[in-house]
Amino acid sequence: MSEQLKAQLLGCDDLPSHVAIIMDGNGRWAQRMGKRRVVGHKAGVDKVREVVKTASELNLKALTLFAFSSENWQRPADEVSVLMELFLTVLSLEIKRLNRNNVKLSIIGDTTRFSDKLQTKIKNAQDLTKDNTGLVLNIAANYGGRWDVTQACQQLAGLVQQGKLSPEDISEELINQYVCTAQLPELDLLIRSGGDCRISNFLLWQAAYAELYFTETLWPDFDENEFLKAIASFSQVERRFGCTSEQVVATK
Ligand code: IPE
Ligand code: IPE
Ligand code: MG
C-alpha cells in the first residue's frame, strides 16, 4: 500500500518542498498502554527515523520537526531530563547515518539553555553535515514561533542601531532572512499528529500560507503510510494565495 502510494507521489509535480511536523501524542500513546510517558517519547524516535527516510526518498527539500517547545520546560523535571537524555543519545546514534544519507542537519531554537555537552554535540553534528546537499532536516528544540520572530527583530534592531540598516528597509523578505528557516523554501505543509488542532507556538511566521493537516493518529503510530497520506492530500489542494481559482488555473 505505502510502496504504491510512494511510487505515485514520486511521479507527481505537486509535492511540497518544505514540510513541518508537530510530533504530538507520545505521552497519551504510552499512558493508553499503562506505561510511563517517556516510553512514548522513545517509541516516537523510530517514527522520526521513518519520516526522515521517506522525506529523503521523495526528494523533499526540507523537513522541520518540532521536538521540544519553549513551553515544554514547564513539564515535570524528570520528563524534561529524559527528553534531554534522549536527544543526546539519538543525536550521537543517528548522526553518522544522516551524514551517509547526505542529510544536512540543523537544530533550530534557543540552544543556549541546553547543557554544554548537548550544545557541543549539536555543534559537531551541524558541522559534520553542513556541506551535505540532500534533505535539510531541522530539529526544532527549545523553539517557539514568537521567540523566532523576536530574535529576528533583535538582530534587525541591532543593524539599525549600528547605522547599517534604516527602519524603512525592513521588509517581509528581510525578516524572512533572519528567522531560523532563512535559506529554506517556504513552508508548504504543516502536519500535526495527536488529534489537537492548534499550532502550539510552532512556525508562526512561516505558516502564513502553509496547508494544515491534522490527524488523530498519535505520533508513535504515525507510520510511513500516514506521512504519505498527508503529502498526497497536499498535492490535491488548489493553493490560491489570495487569487481566484480561475487565475490559478490560467497560470498553470
Ligand atoms: C509530544 O508528545 C512530544 C513532546 C512535546 C516532547 P507529548 O509528550 O506532548 O504527548 P501528549 O500530547 O501528552 O500525548
Ligand atoms: C507541541 O506539543 C510541542 C511538540 C510536539 C514538541 P505539546 O504537547 O507541547 O502542545 P500543547 O501543550 O498540547 O499545545
Ligand atoms: Mg502533547
Side-chain angles (χ1 to χ4, degrees), residues 30-223:
Q31 282 164 336
R32 276 178 201 175
M33 297 199 306
K35 302 220 166 108
R36 290 176 312 129
R37 295 176 52 83
V38 297
V39 174
H41 296 315
K42 288 182 183 154
V45 174
D46 294 338
K47 300 303 160 182
V48 171
R49 213 176 284 118
E50 211 166 308
V51 291
V52 170
K53 181 168 172 279
T54 309
S56 282
E57 285 170 2
L58 290 176
N59 297 316
L60 304 189
K61 299 248 174 345
L63 178 67
T64 301
L65 302 176
F66 206 6
F68 191 86
S69 77
S70 41
E71 288 74 32
N72 288 147
W73 294 106
Q74 299 172 67
R75 294 193 175 193
D78 56 342
E79 182 170 341
V80 171
S81 116
V82 169
L83 282 167
M84 291 300 138
E85 278 299 314
L86 198 60
F87 196 20
L88 201 63
T89 320
V90 172
L91 210 54
S92 311
L93 287 176
E94 297 294 324
I95 190 62
K96 287 205 182 98
R97 186 210 314 255
L98 291 173
N99 191 38
R100 265 201 315 276
N101 291 330
N102 198 22
V103 173
K104 180 176 172 179
L105 178 74
S106 172
I107 308 299
I108 61 168
D110 181 5
T111 52
T112 58
R113 203 170 156 183
F114 295 143
S115 68
D116 289 346
K117 198 170 162 194
L118 186 50
Q119 288 191 48
T120 308
K121 271 261 179 290
I122 288 173
K123 189 181 173 305
N124 293 344
Q126 291 183 151
D127 284 350
L128 179 72
T129 61
K130 71 178 188 330
D131 296 324
N132 287 348
T133 53
L135 177 76
V136 177
L137 173 62
N138 296 306
I139 303 290
N142 193 18
Y143 179 90
R146 289 180 174 174
W147 165 83
D148 195 0
V149 175
T150 306
Q151 67 78 29
C153 291
Q154 284 172 349
Q155 290 191 60
L156 292 168
L159 293 175
V160 171
Q161 192 181 38
Q162 292 162 32
K164 292 180 178 158
L165 180 72
S166 50
E168 51 281 4
D169 291 333
I170 297 178
S171 60
E172 292 184 11
E173 289 70 25
L174 194 65
I175 295 176
N176 233 349
Q177 288 167 31
Y178 283 82
V179 290
C180 288
T181 48
Q183 329 291 337
L184 295 177
E186 284 283 312
L187 180 62
D188 295 311
L189 171 64
L190 175 60
I191 300 170
R192 182 178 186 136
S193 64
D196 288 313
C197 299
R198 57 176 172 262
I199 295 185
S200 299
N201 196 18
F202 195 24
L203 299 163
L204 300 180
W205 171 271
Q206 296 85 342
Y209 255 110
E211 301 301 326
L212 308 179
Y213 183 93
F214 298 101
T215 168
E216 289 292 325
T217 306
L218 302 172
W219 181 252
D221 290 327
F222 190 96
D223 57 11

